Amino acid sequence: CQSCAQNLITITTNGNGAHAMESDVTNIATCATRTFTCIGTLANIEGGQGTIMDADDGAVDGVATFTVTCNTAGTAWVNTGIDITQVECASKCLTCPSNLISITTASTGGHAMDGDVIDETTGPCLKRTFTCEGKGANIEINGDHGVITDESDVASFTLTCNEDGTAWMYNGVAITQVECAPLPACKMCEQNLIMKTTNGNGAKPFAMDTTDTSGTCAVRTLTCVGNQANIEEWINRSFFQLNNGDGTTDPPLVVTCNAGGTAWLFMGIPITQAECAV
């Protein structure tokens, strides 16, 4: 009873959420005993005795164990008088199907994900990472109820399979739809489309230059501060002093990114140069 072969038990990984045992340890005493350990959320071990659950040892700790003993003839591993010939370790949070999430391409510029990878090796539960690439790339989730963005033009979004294997979760929210799309072009005007100069008499740097992308298109505000401050804009090869201060207020120049993302517009006119002066 100290000589049962290891291959008398087949360790399978056939079912949903099945994965390798965390450990398989044999101890030699009067007769050999062999203990299988399975780790994972709602870990369980399926064998000839049915299913050994995480909580069967009195603690829900993500660990299920199953011990068998070599019989007197050394021909079988036994648990409560039953020959055990097969065992399998599984975790519920390793069973989320891919089709629990719809990947759509409905928005303007929407396209297939550049990456959709399911990771079974990092942590006890399945991880799924979507990657969207492109200028101003973002990932819309659950019907545009949230947007994942990244300034490097690569947006990534990682989800975790829940304990029941019934949903992919992000910050406690079940995600059922994702879409890869770039930001609208009218939110992507470059700052250098307007040259800020300091050439004229009294010219000085702008006190503030802020861009707001919370609306439909990007809106940029340049503010000139000082006594009798004014902003000169370059329009059709000429400077126009369109924003005059009254000595008590600072005149802003408010421009909007055009539909193509190629120009900042003031009253429909592209502004290519601006100067703050007092």
Side-chain angles (χ1 to χ4, degrees), residues 58-190:
V60 180
D61 54 5
V63 180
T65 59
F66 182 49
T67 300
V68 292
T69 303
C70 183
N71 68 359
T72 55
T75 58
W77 294 99
V78 178
N79 180 276
T80 61
I82 298 174
D83 292 355
I84 305 300
T85 59
Q86 176 266 336
V87 291
E88 183 163 302
C89 168
S91 302
K92 284 287 188 180
C93 68
L94 292 173
T95 61
C96 287
S98 296
N99 62 8
L100 290 173
I101 296 179
S102 298
I103 303 173
T104 58
T105 56
S107 64
T108 302
H111 58 85
M113 290 287 173
D114 295 283
D116 179 2
V117 178
I118 294 178
D119 179 7
E120 299 181 2
T121 63
T122 303
C125 297
L126 285 182
K127 301 285 186 182
R128 185 176 184 183
T129 299
F130 294 102
T131 304
C132 175
E133 299 178 5
K135 186 69 174 176
N138 68 88
I139 299 175
E140 298 176 358
I141 58 178
N142 286 358
D144 202 19
H145 288 169
V147 179
I148 308 299
T149 61
D150 193 290
E151 294 181 358
S152 65
D153 296 334
V154 179
S156 62
F157 183 40
T158 299
L159 312 172
T160 302
C161 181
N162 71 352
E163 290 187 354
D164 296 327
T166 57
W168 293 98
M169 308 296 292
Y170 178 74
N171 285 344
V173 177
I175 304 302
T176 58
Q177 177 267 336
V178 294
E179 182 160 324
C180 171
L183 288 174
C186 72
K187 287 191 175 185
M188 296 167 57
C189 283
E190 300 287 349

